Amino acid sequence: MNMPLNTSADICDPTEQARYNMVEQQIRPWNVLDEAVLELLATVRREEFVPPAYQGAAFIDTQIPLNPSVEEAERLGQVMLAPRVDARMLQDLQVQSTDRVLEIGAGSGYMAALLAARAERVVSLEIVPELAEFARENLRSAGVNNAEVRQSDGALDPIPDGPFDVILLSGSVAEIPQRLLGLLRDGGRLGAFVGHTPMMRATFVRRQGDRYETTQPWDVVVPRLRHFPEPTRFKF
């Protein structure tokens, strides 16, 4: 039986109580049962990656805008994903201590920090210069030394660091980008949110030699990553 990492009665600090509630009431019930992942979500300080205007929402089950304009943040994909979504993706990618990881969409740097705690090295690409600097500063402040944030368009710019053991798209796409599959090492895993509103699927692709095995185990809706192809949804 999986038991809580702590008990609510042991916690006096309001911030730690909110963090405990996030893990036990949002994340664990969403089929995140890997105790190492739960421990990580309890120790990486999510509030340190949240813009000051949204500190009060750091542990709420919602996306957090990273742009002063909420509408622009949603339209341009400039958000922190809900904690349960980051946690489930982290669990399902099965990141190992020897893995080299590529993330597309650094945002605030929070997911890069989670990945870095489990991987050997993380390269995180962020298209918006201001967000790239925000993520870098957050990671520096958190003492994360094995994650590098680059200001780069993950859809269009060259990515010279491959192959990777894990590739994560921290935003949605219409279809799996074939050029990113080419950056996977044999045995490597790619995780992405694929589809169109109101139906998207968390999609995982594992490379096995020349074959690519795909699973889509859960539903979620998250904002788009910019500049990835948008094939027509209708055929005549």
Side-chain angles (χ1 to χ4, degrees):
M1 176 185 295
N2 291 308
M3 299 297 292
L5 300 172
N6 236 315
T7 63
S8 183
D10 296 332
I11 303 171
C12 299
D13 181 85
T15 298
E16 294 310 313
Q17 181 67 61
R19 194 187 324 279
Y20 172 88
N21 291 343
M22 176 187 74
V23 172
E24 296 300 328
Q25 297 175 11
Q26 299 172 35
I27 295 172
R28 191 189 292 271
W30 222 51
N31 289 326
V32 180
L33 303 177
D34 184 324
E35 292 296 333
V37 170
L38 293 170
E39 180 65 31
L40 189 57
L41 270 291
T43 54
V44 174
R45 302 182 68 81
R46 179 176 165 85
E47 70 273 22
E48 296 180 357
F49 293 82
V50 173
Y54 291 96
Q55 282 295 305
F59 305 110
I60 295 176
D61 183 22
T62 188
Q63 296 177 163
I64 294 179
L66 298 175
N67 185 313
S69 167
V70 176
E71 289 184 359
E72 285 289 284
E74 181 73 19
R75 184 177 67 83
L76 298 175
Q78 298 171 8
V79 301
M80 291 179 69
L81 300 181
R84 60 187 169 86
V85 176
D86 281 335
R88 183 75 182 269
M89 184 62 75
L90 185 67
Q91 171 183 266
D92 290 359
L93 280 170
Q94 301 177 345
V95 180
Q96 306 297 314
S97 61
T98 56
D99 284 347
R100 297 178 70 251
V101 179
L102 171 68
E103 180 190 23
I104 308 294
S108 72
Y110 177 67
M111 189 59 171
L114 295 175
L115 291 164
R118 294 177 66 86
E120 179 179 297
R121 179 171 181 258
V122 177
V123 175
S124 187
L125 308 183
E126 174 53 55
I127 193 172
V128 181
E130 294 80 7
L131 284 184
E133 184 53 39
F134 182 54
R136 289 188 199 106
E137 182 55 39
N138 289 338
L139 290 165
R140 281 194 294 266
S141 297
V144 178
N145 299 314
N146 61 328
E148 175 189 358
V149 178
R150 298 180 190 166
Q151 194 272 303
S152 180
D153 186 335
L156 301 176
D157 292 343
I159 303 174
D161 306 78
F164 295 94
D165 301 286
V166 173
I167 298 175
L168 169 62
L169 282 70
S170 288
S172 67
V173 290
E175 60 184 17
I176 294 292
Q178 293 301 308
R179 85 168 183 129
L180 294 183
L181 290 179
L183 294 175
L184 278 180
R185 193 187 307 277
D186 190 13
R189 291 88 65 206
L190 180 146
F193 308 103
V194 180
H196 302 268
T197 304
M199 176 61 74
M200 298 179 185
R201 303 281 296 183
T203 301
F204 299 90
V205 182
R206 180 183 289 270
R207 181 174 184 179
Q208 301 284 14
D210 294 331
R211 296 184 298 109
Y212 294 87
E213 300 175 352
T214 300
T215 58
Q216 294 184 307
W218 40 282
D219 297 338
V220 68
V221 175
V222 302
R224 273 289 192 256
L225 289 172
R226 292 163 63 185
H227 299 162
F228 283 94
E230 291 286 344
T232 179
R233 298 174 63 181
F234 301 99
K235 296 182 179 180
F236 297 94

